[in-house]
Amino acid sequence: MNIKGRVLLLAAVVLSIAGCGQEEETAAQPPESTKVTVTSLEAGDVSVTRSWPGRVVALRTAQIRPQVGGIVTARLFSQGSEVKAGQPLFQIDPAPFRAEVAMAEATLARAEASHRQLQQKANRLSQIQHSGAISRQDFDDALANSAQAAASVAEAKASLQRKKLDLAYSTVKAPVSGRIDQEFVTEGALVSAADTQAMAIVQQTEKVYVDARLPASELRTIIDRPGADETSPNALKVSLLDEAGKAYDVQAQLLFSGVSVNNETGDVVLRIVADNPARELLPGMYIRVSITRHLAKDGLVIPGQAIQRLNGSSYVWTVDSNGAARKVGVELVGESGQGEIVKSGLQAGARLVVEGQDKLQEGMAVTAVPLKPRA
């Protein structure tokens, strides 16, 4: 072998020895552990919140309608103002009704005079009927005529009372207290009791109703939630929100839920009653109804992304104190606004894997990276 061949052989031997050393160094390094993102579970108040569109309804709505016919001579209120029950609102020309009252009074006076005359005659005949000077028939006729006159007096009194009521009805008054809207008839208009058009509308808005429609399937989530903490003073909280999601500063409470389901939409109605001292809530306004149900004082809620399901069972992965992955079965009772509510299987303080659990096996060593809070 010449010198050049020997040099090449020596170089090959050196490279082979160096390669073996690198392989031994690589084999000596431990395999890199799987990285997972974890969050530490903390116990706290657990609640479920739902919201639906709702519409404001006045506590009472009274359509002002005339009970007698005539010409409107005056409007006695300011449009958009607050009125009290019994306050005059419109005046219908009272002259015809005063004339009818006067006629009824005259009719009553005539009936009373006739009754007195016939009553006196019956009294005189009763004193002499036993003497045989008059027949029994004459006496009976006198008693009947007196009774008929008495009935005529009663009829005249009733007619007079009715005419006085008509005169009183010529002043149209507010049946309830509240805020009155604009007028729908003006001075000079002819109105009657048969009119379909109201003269004005009075609405009570110091308190209002809010009607919300929701699917019947969601009703039990809020109204009859299993496991709800009924001992909490705030077990059920109702809030009213504007279009921007800001809550109105009013006290609201659930009045009742519908007792039947709409056949066409499958919805039920929730009726809420709310104080409205500032008159912010106007009848007909659309708002959102938010109901929060308190479920537990010291409960656990886990994010839905941490949950895996297999054959109808749910489980999660946790990291123990030795840095090993552990598969834990959990029992869930429903969803809240923060995540899934845990009934059993986990305890406060456990490190729950929320990312990277698809690569895990029982007992596998992992590197736990804390979940970064959302900005």
Side-chain angles (χ1 to χ4, degrees):
M1 182 181 295
N2 56 21
I3 296 176
K4 184 178 180 181
R6 292 178 179 177
V7 171
L8 293 175
L9 180 61
L10 180 60
V13 172
V14 171
L15 290 175
S16 177
I17 294 174
C20 292
Q22 290 179 354
E23 292 178 359
E24 292 176 359
E25 183 179 355
T26 302
Q29 292 180 353
E32 185 177 355
S33 60
T34 302
K35 289 185 178 181
V36 293
T37 303
V38 300
T39 183
S40 182
L41 296 181
E42 296 180 359
D45 288 341
V46 178
S47 60
V48 57
T49 301
R50 295 287 186 272
S51 65
W52 308 275
R55 191 173 188 182
V56 180
V57 180
L59 191 69
R60 291 185 180 88
T61 299
Q63 293 187 349
I64 308 304
R65 297 181 183 273
Q67 294 180 274
V68 294
I71 301 296
V72 178
T73 59
R75 171 172 57 84
L76 307 174
F77 66 93
S78 297
Q79 300 177 78
S81 64
E82 294 285 337
V83 297
K84 299 294 184 182
Q87 177 179 332
L89 302 178
F90 293 94
Q91 181 61 58
I92 298 173
D93 185 8
F97 305 106
R98 291 195 182 112
E100 290 183 359
V101 168
M103 292 175 60
E105 288 175 341
T107 300
L108 175 60
R110 183 171 57 251
E112 288 177 337
S114 177
H115 175 251
R116 284 194 299 270
Q117 179 185 12
L118 294 174
Q119 181 66 44
Q120 290 172 358
K121 180 179 179 180
N123 290 339
R124 286 194 301 268
L125 293 180
S126 66
Q127 296 175 0
I128 63 174
Q129 64 155 328
H130 298 292
S131 65
I134 62 171
S135 66
R136 178 68 184 181
Q137 182 65 46
D138 291 338
F139 178 65
D140 291 342
D141 290 344
L143 290 179
N145 291 336
S146 176
Q148 289 179 357
S152 296
V153 170
E155 182 180 4
K157 286 181 177 180
S159 178
L160 176 60
Q161 185 179 5
R162 179 61 197 181
K163 300 303 181 183
K164 287 182 176 180
L165 280 176
D166 290 343
L167 176 60
Y169 288 152
S170 67
T171 301
V172 182
K173 299 179 181 180
V176 296
S177 299
R179 177 167 292 180
I180 193 166
D181 211 334
Q182 76 269 24
E183 63 178 7
F184 297 120
V185 297
T186 60
E187 293 89 340
L190 175 63
V191 297
S192 72
D195 289 346
T196 57
Q197 173 65 56
M199 304 176 74
I201 295 177
V202 177
Q203 295 177 313
Q204 287 189 345
T205 55
E206 71 277 4
K207 284 189 175 183
V208 294
Y209 296 128
V210 180
D211 291 339
R213 296 186 179 275
L214 65 152
S217 58
E218 296 185 21
L219 182 64
R220 192 167 181 264
T221 304
I222 292 296
I223 307 304
D224 189 23
R225 180 76 186 215
D229 184 9
E230 298 293 349
T231 62
S232 171
N234 299 315
L236 193 65
K237 180 180 179 181
V238 181
S239 301
L240 304 179
L241 313 177
D242 61 15
E243 63 277 3
K246 182 180 179 182
Y248 288 97
D249 187 18
V250 297
Q251 296 293 325
Q253 63 178 5
L254 180 63
L255 192 61
F256 69 86
S257 61
V259 295
S260 62
V261 179
N262 187 291
N263 293 333
E264 297 180 357
T265 64
D267 292 344
V268 293
V269 175
L270 291 184
R271 169 156 283 192
I272 291 91
V273 61
D275 294 330
N276 191 30
R279 305 301 194 272
E280 292 181 279
L281 303 174
L282 302 178
M285 177 186 292
Y286 285 98
I287 61 175
R288 291 198 68 82
V289 176
S290 175
I291 298 182
T292 300
R293 180 68 140 175
H294 189 270
L295 300 179
K297 184 177 181 181
D298 295 315
L300 293 177
V301 175
I302 60 177
Q305 68 190 72
I307 302 170
Q308 294 185 324
R309 292 177 170 84
L310 179 64
N311 298 329
S313 300
S314 301
Y315 65 92
V316 296
W317 288 95
T318 62
V319 178
D320 62 17
S321 57
N322 297 322
R326 299 299 178 191
K327 184 177 179 180
V328 178
V330 293
E331 184 179 358
L332 308 173
V333 294
E335 183 180 357
S336 73
Q338 300 83 20
E340 295 284 343
I341 305 165
V342 178
K343 182 177 182 181
S344 63
L346 291 174
Q347 300 293 330
R351 291 191 296 172
L352 177 70
V353 178
V354 293
E355 293 179 3
Q357 60 267 44
D358 295 340
K359 308 173 185 178
L360 299 181
Q361 295 181 2
E362 182 69 24
M364 175 187 292
V366 297
T367 300
V369 178
L371 178 66
K372 294 181 180 180
R374 294 182 179 179

